[in-house]
Amino acid sequence: FVVLHSSGGGEILVGMGVKELWTKALGDFRDEDLRYLHSLADKRVVIDTSAWVHRLDPRHDVAYARSSEPGYPSLGVKTSFAAKHRAMAELGFKCIYVFDGKTPDVKKLENERRRKEAELAKVEYDQKMHVVMDRNAGNVGIFDVSDAEPQDILKSRRDTARPTAEDFASLCQWMDENNIEYVQAPFEADAQMTQLVKDGKAGAAITEDGDLIVYRTAHICSRTKIDTQHPERSKCQYFDFGKLTRGDYSAEIAKGNRIDYLEEISCLLGNDYIARLYGNGPATVLQGKNGKHPLIDQYIDHVQSGKPERDFLLEVERSNRKNSHPDGYWTERFIQCRNLICHYPVFKKEGSQVKIIPLNPLPADVSYDEWGTLIGFEKHPQEYLQNGALSEYYSMETIASLDCSRSCRLGPRYTSEENSSVDSRELLPIYAKLDFDKVPVELQPASVLRYWLLHRGISTTENEGDNDVRSLVQHAIEEKRVVLPPSMTLEPVKWVGFEPLAEAELGDEYDDWNQKYFQKLRQMMLVDDEYINRHFGTERAQYTREKALNLLKGGYIDASSIRIRNVKSDLRQPGESLIAVKFQCLSSERSILHNVYVVFENKGGGEYVPTPCSYCGCENGAFFCSHMLCFLFFLRLVQTTSLSQSEYEEVLPENPKITQSGITLIWINLSSKRPSL
């Protein structure tokens, strides 16, 4: 877990894995090229199911599906999994999905924190809805809501979305129906994945969790991008633990005999179970600061000299000026967590027999009965799994039997209100039914409303703004438009960045991502008012244009993140040559960076190519958003300034996310030396 330090010195665990392990401790591994998945020789992989589900949380479509009235949580998750699994199957992979089991005692506080966060978000969301609904009680034809309220309410709504047991139960049912192999771990999935690789059940694990490196998993696929439309384009970065031990990655954690102390490195850097002490970043732990020996090497020298481990850890703990825990707390936590990582409880299946064993053999002076105490558990690991045989738990029957009619959790079904000619046993498409009494049209996400319209045979284009979409919904309600039957339901385009595109090689410097974007962008068609009007309408939400300008003037585009490369697409014509620009843009509503992809025709005077080629990770990014429009304004400056790229970037306002100075609009000084609009 990434450890964030609050202003009061407290620590908050977020994310997953060992802090900065991928980026700061693995040398040049991240510089290696991505490999096509189909090129891997061993196509047996284990996949962390919970991690895939949790990775859907930040995506607005899944967050809205979980919090919708009525809800579509499991349908959204199942649809995502089905598309990915189908792509993997087409590539010849045999996938084993691993589910988390019981929560270890040392992680219960973190899970409780997450639960309370979701509960507080729900209270906040309900309060905001209550204020708006009370204000509009009795109003007819007019809905009184400020410009800021809808986005504020939607943010709170997204914060309420968390995976549910029904999500996992529906996935289990789907896997049963399709004869897909899965395993429920006794505790954490990542340790069980490592055991499955050790047992020869799989050749690699697909994960973004650095814990598997600490567990010494032989092969790991990270940065895995599964192209559900073109599986043959799917890629990953392939980690080989053997190369790490041989020093091929020039990694800090492999220097000297550090490879034997990965568990200790993990605990010093901070992980799922123990927070990093203030100041103990990769530089301190692995490189040494202020002329001091690296902390991990100090530790190794201490214990190898025969001195008590606790003495060293206590000294580190007591010298930390921001440690607010009782004396000795961090030291004991360190020892327990190190032991847990090394001797994690996992299942081992031999034939039909399943037993629970430590991931690595217990120390010679520790008996099997003392295992729980060694790893900080309140009781022996097997005692947590007393309900039923271990083989039943291994096959996930404890969750599979959560609900005898799990399919009902996928979402609502057709009724006479939606379409009287359709069998009531048929599931409705996602968002085909929305309760506008509970969540009025004015407070619904525009992306959700577009689905609602689509399932009634009304397609929308990028030229329709949010207000246009809401007007279309109101008209459809007045006309009592029914939901199309399943055989006619339209499938929305899969708006996932770069799924419609393929890499292209033209023999120039743009055959890979390149930071030199100035010359190429200046060859594009000149962006002027007519250009903007042609793509985004003349009167379309002036608010969006103003917002886009403010983003640019406020330095919300991170110019240092801009990359450009050759791509191609078959969407408009076979093999059309295009140029893709990717960059990060800070959200105007939240302190997060959106990944934005803007695509142009790859020729002199090339023009903007709309969605689904161009795409942004924000709520409206599947259609049109201020972040994409902001880049067109950015392009306009590039095309009209006499400055070089370096001079241009120097005078642009700095991104607040990078400067950490807060979100503040810094207006561009339109002097003769600076670009102007």
Side-chain angles (χ1 to χ4, degrees):
F1 274 47
V2 174
V3 183
L4 303 180
H5 295 275
S6 69
S7 58
E11 297 160 337
I12 306 170
L13 296 178
V14 296
M16 68 168 57
V18 183
K19 183 176 173 71
E20 298 176 299
L21 184 65
W22 290 111
T23 56
K24 300 291 180 65
L26 287 181
D28 55 9
F29 164 66
R30 278 303 190 205
D31 296 331
E32 291 196 347
D33 293 335
L34 299 182
R35 292 176 57 177
Y36 285 105
L37 286 178
H38 64 70
S39 70
L40 301 184
D42 194 335
K43 291 185 169 56
R44 300 169 303 147
V45 294
V46 286
I47 297 170
D48 187 340
T49 311
S50 299
W52 271 19
V53 171
H54 280 282
R55 286 183 68 185
L56 296 174
D57 291 350
R59 289 177 51 181
H60 294 333
D61 52 354
V62 175
Y64 292 145
R66 286 186 173 137
S67 56
S68 176
E69 293 284 355
Y72 300 82
S74 302
L75 181 58
V77 172
K78 176 183 167 185
T79 301
S80 172
F81 263 76
K84 287 184 176 182
H85 183 81
R86 184 170 57 249
M88 294 293 284
E90 288 183 20
L91 293 173
F93 279 87
K94 173 177 171 50
C95 302
I96 302 176
Y97 294 93
V98 183
F99 290 78
D100 278 325
K102 302 284 187 180
T103 301
D105 296 326
V106 293
K107 198 174 177 181
K108 286 181 178 178
L109 288 177
E110 168 61 14
N111 284 359
E112 179 65 13
R113 182 190 67 79
R114 293 182 190 173
R115 185 187 64 79
K116 288 182 178 179
E117 273 189 355
E119 289 179 353
L120 290 173
K122 183 65 168 66
V123 170
E124 182 179 289
Y125 172 69
D126 289 342
Q127 289 174 341
K128 291 175 180 178
M129 285 292 295
H130 184 71
V131 169
V132 175
M133 297 301 285
D134 275 0
R135 186 195 311 146
N136 286 276
N139 286 359
V140 179
I142 298 176
F143 194 83
D144 181 16
V145 62
S146 70
D147 290 340
E149 280 179 315
Q151 289 302 320
D152 186 40
I153 288 173
L154 287 178
K155 178 186 180 304
S156 295
R157 173 174 165 179
R158 291 192 295 268
D159 290 342
T160 68
R162 291 290 185 275
T164 65
E166 287 76 22
D167 288 343
F168 297 106
S170 64
L171 281 175
C172 179
Q173 182 193 38
W174 166 70
M175 292 176 187
D176 282 336
E177 293 170 349
N178 292 276
N179 295 316
I180 297 170
E181 187 173 356
Y182 57 86
V183 172
Q184 183 177 12
F187 296 95
E188 295 279 283
D190 44 16
Q192 185 64 49
M193 292 165 67
T194 300
Q195 183 64 38
L196 289 169
V197 174
K198 288 174 65 175
D199 289 343
K201 306 289 186 182
I206 294 181
T207 184
E208 299 303 321
D209 196 333
D211 288 347
L212 273 81
I213 295 175
V214 179
Y215 289 134
R216 297 172 172 78
T217 309
H219 300 105
I220 301 171
C221 298
S222 68
R223 287 185 173 175
T224 305
K225 302 182 185 302
I226 300 174
D227 191 326
T228 57
Q229 292 186 337
H230 303 282
E232 71 280 1
R233 300 174 186 170
S234 301
K235 291 184 175 182
C236 74
Q237 199 160 40
Y238 194 71
F239 174 82
D240 184 336
F241 193 83
K243 292 178 68 174
L244 176 68
T245 58
R246 292 193 299 270
D248 294 355
Y249 295 135
S250 301
E252 293 286 347
I253 61 173
K255 290 183 177 179
N257 55 355
R258 293 178 183 177
I259 201 75
D260 298 326
Y261 294 88
L262 294 183
E263 294 86 358
E264 287 80 4
I265 291 174
S266 167
C267 292
L268 288 173
L269 290 176
N271 56 40
D272 290 25
Y273 312 113
I274 183 170
R276 170 196 292 181
L277 286 179
Y278 179 81
N280 282 1
T284 299
V285 174
L286 301 173
Q287 298 168 354
K289 288 178 66 177
N290 303 322
K292 293 183 178 180
H293 209 40
L295 190 59
I296 184 59
D297 292 340
Q298 294 180 46
Y299 170 88
I300 294 172
D301 292 344
H302 182 92
V303 296
Q304 287 190 342
S305 67
K307 298 176 183 177
E309 177 188 39
R310 275 187 173 80
D311 291 352
F312 178 85
L313 296 175
L314 280 170
E315 182 180 349
V316 171
E317 178 180 0
R318 289 167 179 169
S319 64
N320 193 277
R321 58 187 176 85
K322 290 195 176 182
N323 177 33
S324 59
H325 295 299
D327 186 49
Y329 172 86
W330 181 84
T331 295
E332 294 305 317
R333 185 89 167 182
F334 180 102
I335 294 171
Q336 286 183 342
C337 294
R338 184 269 316 281
N339 292 341
L340 174 61
I341 295 169
C342 189
H343 309 291
Y344 214 101
V346 293
F347 283 135
K348 184 175 180 64
K349 186 177 183 182
E350 296 176 340
S352 60
Q353 297 297 312
V354 176
K355 57 183 179 181
I356 188 168
I357 64 170
L359 182 62
N360 296 294
L362 296 174
D365 59 346
V366 177
S367 69
Y368 185 76
D369 291 339
E370 297 170 320
W371 180 17
T373 303
L374 176 73
I375 60 178
F377 279 22
E378 295 174 356
K379 51 189 176 182
H380 192 279
Q382 190 155 337
E383 292 182 41
Y384 289 88
L385 314 172
Q386 293 296 348
N387 295 328
L390 291 183
S391 59
E392 293 178 353
Y393 196 93
Y394 180 90
S395 63
M396 204 178 172
E397 291 184 20
T398 54
I399 290 184
S401 60
L402 176 71
D403 186 84
C404 60
S405 56
R406 292 182 302 281
S407 60
C408 71
R409 303 288 186 166
L410 295 177
R413 300 174 185 275
Y414 279 87
T415 68
S416 57
E417 182 179 347
E418 283 75 49
N419 193 321
S420 58
S421 64
V422 178
D423 192 316
S424 61
R425 290 172 295 182
E426 289 282 355
L427 280 169
L428 279 166
I430 193 167
Y431 301 132
K433 180 184 180 70
L434 295 171
D435 190 335
F436 294 126
D437 290 330
K438 290 184 177 179
V439 184
V441 173
E442 292 80 3
L443 299 180
Q444 291 279 0
S447 56
V448 169
L449 295 177
R450 290 179 189 269
Y451 278 91
W452 188 92
L453 289 167
L454 187 67
H455 298 318
R456 287 162 176 77
I458 305 171
S459 60
T460 56
T461 69
E462 62 180 20
N463 288 327
E464 274 95 24
D466 292 357
N467 290 334
D468 300 323
V469 170
R470 292 188 169 90
S471 295
L472 287 171
V473 172
Q474 296 289 8
H475 287 307
I477 293 172
E478 293 170 5
E479 294 174 2
K480 297 183 178 180
R481 291 285 290 262
V482 298
V483 178
L484 297 172
S487 60
M488 296 177 62
T489 300
L490 301 174
E491 286 294 328
V493 178
K494 296 183 182 298
W495 292 293
V496 177
F498 279 54
E499 278 195 343
L501 305 176
E503 297 173 347
E505 294 186 2
L506 303 181
D508 61 21
E509 61 185 330
Y510 300 108
D511 282 348
D512 201 351
W513 292 109
N514 196 316
Q515 289 180 284
K516 300 175 182 178
Y517 59 86
F518 237 56
Q519 180 181 356
K520 198 70 175 178
L521 292 183
R522 282 175 166 170
Q523 297 172 4
M524 300 296 110
M525 180 178 290
L526 182 66
V527 176
D528 55 17
D529 290 342
E530 194 278 329
Y531 185 104
I532 299 294
N533 292 340
R534 183 168 65 256
H535 286 286
F536 304 115
T538 54
E539 299 194 16
R540 182 181 178 186
Q542 290 301 313
Y543 167 74
T544 301
R545 294 193 182 207
E546 180 181 353
K547 184 177 180 181
L549 278 170
N550 285 341
L551 290 176
L552 178 60
K553 294 175 180 178
Y556 282 58
I557 282 186
D558 180 6
S560 67
S561 71
I562 298 176
R563 301 290 187 276
I564 189 169
R565 74 156 296 148
N566 296 321
V567 294
K568 60 185 177 181
S569 173
D570 296 327
L571 284 178
R572 304 197 306 180
Q573 54 182 303
E576 181 180 15
S577 181
L578 304 171
I579 195 80
V581 183
K582 69 174 180 178
F583 62 95
Q584 291 186 319
C585 188
L586 183 65
S587 169
S588 60
E589 305 293 340
R590 294 169 290 154
S591 296
I592 64 170
L593 286 164
H594 293 304
N595 292 314
V596 189
Y597 306 90
V598 181
V599 179
F600 301 88
E601 297 168 329
N602 195 359
K603 61 182 181 180
E607 210 167 338
Y608 168 78
V609 179
T611 54
C613 288
S614 294
Y615 172 84
C616 176
C618 75
E619 174 195 350
N620 296 313
F623 303 92
F624 165 77
C625 68
S626 58
H627 308 110
M628 283 192 273
L629 181 53
C630 177
F631 184 80
L632 293 184
F633 288 143
F634 179 95
L635 172 57
R636 182 171 175 172
L637 292 180
V638 171
Q639 294 173 329
T640 56
T641 184
S642 60
L643 302 179
S644 66
Q645 179 173 328
S646 60
E647 291 172 333
Y648 178 82
E649 292 179 351
E650 183 178 349
V651 299
L652 282 174
E654 290 184 277
N655 189 313
K657 185 71 174 180
I658 296 176
T659 61
Q660 297 297 310
S661 59
I663 302 175
T664 308
L665 290 181
I666 307 171
W667 296 86
I668 295 176
N669 180 8
L670 303 181
S671 68
S672 59
K673 184 64 176 173
R674 295 173 181 264
S676 61
L677 287 172

